[in-house]
Amino acid sequence: MGDIPKSAGHPGASASAEAAASWGAAIVESCSEAIISTSLDGRIIGFNAAAVQLTGYSADEVLGRQWASMVPADAVAEIARAVQRFQAGEKTFRVESHLRRKDRVRLEMLLSISAIRDRTGTLIGMSGIFRDITEDKLAQQRLRQSEEKFATVFKYSSTGISIARLIDGEYLDVNDEFCRIMNLPREEVIGRAVGDLGIVTEAELNEFAGDLLQAGAIRNREMTVLGRDGIGRRCLVSSIIVEL
């Protein structure tokens, strides 16, 4: 029997490494998130199919170009600091930024940037996963505007409005007109329950609460409401169950 050649195990190891690399490339290419990789000098070296779909550029159009050409000027500095952060020891971080599509549309992005290092640990590049959050940002803006409109209507309405917790009737917020009708300052109302203030009789309160739980809403029910001065006022009371 002859000696076993020293290189006998090497072809298998090489094939395994090639297979692993092939699998890695396939995973990146098939990922639903846009992945763009760059060298340390800012050249784009990786651009998967999701990045093509997101940006409108083909891989041939961007490979070798500077990544800064795809980012609005006000977003360049934050991403450019990634190199310093990685050199300081960070492995990955997230930042909200912007991306400019081929058609010049500006997108809001959540960018996860990771360091690419060789086997010796030397920083050789960066990889960014881009997630389009443009619609999320628009939804947040619409919600904020809606809340601002509600707050304005709530505060300045000529109708007394209150928000109370269903489980125990504790007041969470009341508007100025509510305080005027009840002749009570806001700080004496917030945090106290409807029953504790004696605004309505216990019998009326229990009946009202039971009907509200059953129907989910009550409209224009005539009730006697007592203010701090003890004077009963006939009011039309409407209520609806909402989720805060």
Side-chain angles (χ1 to χ4, degrees):
M1 295 179 64
D3 294 334
I4 298 175
K6 293 182 179 179
S7 62
H10 290 183
S14 176
S16 297
E18 290 178 3
S22 178
W23 269 102
I27 290 171
V28 170
E29 185 62 21
S30 61
C31 181
S32 60
E33 300 282 7
I35 301 177
I36 301 175
S37 302
T38 70
S39 59
L40 284 183
D41 62 3
R43 289 180 297 105
I44 297 174
I45 58 176
F47 202 76
N48 72 348
V52 172
Q53 183 176 5
L54 176 68
T55 66
Y57 289 100
S58 68
D60 290 339
E61 289 178 291
V62 299
L63 290 177
R65 285 177 52 183
Q66 289 289 318
W67 62 264
S69 64
M70 301 180 64
V71 178
D74 58 355
V76 171
E78 180 65 30
I79 300 176
R81 282 194 288 269
V83 175
Q84 286 74 31
R85 296 180 67 166
F86 291 139
Q87 288 174 337
E90 287 194 55
K91 295 181 179 180
T92 185
F93 67 92
R94 289 185 176 185
V95 62
E96 288 190 9
S97 187
H98 300 90
L99 188 69
R100 192 165 46 220
R101 285 193 331 211
K102 186 177 181 178
D103 58 8
R104 313 307 289 176
V105 171
R106 179 180 171 123
L107 301 176
E108 299 266 2
M109 307 300 303
L110 177 61
L111 174 57
S112 299
I113 308 178
S114 301
I116 301 175
R117 301 182 185 274
D118 63 16
R119 292 184 178 181
T120 67
T122 301
L123 182 66
I124 59 174
M126 298 179 294
S127 178
I129 300 177
F130 293 76
R131 185 165 70 86
D132 186 357
I133 57 172
T134 305
E135 288 300 321
D136 295 342
K137 287 292 186 180
L138 289 174
Q140 290 175 10
Q141 182 180 2
R142 287 192 292 266
L143 177 60
R144 185 167 56 251
Q145 291 172 343
S146 177
E147 289 174 341
E148 290 171 353
K149 290 177 182 177
F150 169 77
T152 300
V153 172
F154 180 85
K155 180 174 177 59
Y156 296 106
S157 175
S158 59
T159 300
I161 306 175
S162 65
I163 301 174
R165 198 159 51 202
L166 183 63
I167 190 171
D168 56 10
E170 180 180 311
Y171 282 109
L172 304 178
D173 204 357
V174 293
N175 71 347
D176 293 345
E177 182 63 13
F178 180 93
C179 294
R180 189 195 66 78
I181 293 172
M182 300 303 168
N183 195 25
L184 287 168
R186 186 174 184 275
E187 57 270 18
E188 291 187 18
V189 178
I190 302 302
R192 299 185 64 187
V194 179
D196 294 340
L197 293 174
I199 292 174
V200 295
T201 65
E202 185 174 352
E204 276 193 308
L205 178 60
N206 290 336
E207 181 183 0
F208 188 89
D211 291 345
L212 179 61
L213 283 170
Q214 183 175 1
I218 293 176
R219 181 176 176 82
N220 291 337
R221 174 172 295 189
E222 191 171 328
M223 298 178 66
T224 299
V225 178
L226 297 175
R228 171 188 264 177
D229 52 14
I231 298 175
R233 297 172 175 82
R234 294 301 288 176
C235 298
L236 293 177
V237 180
S238 299
S239 183
I240 186 170
I241 297 175
V242 296
E243 184 175 327
L244 297 180

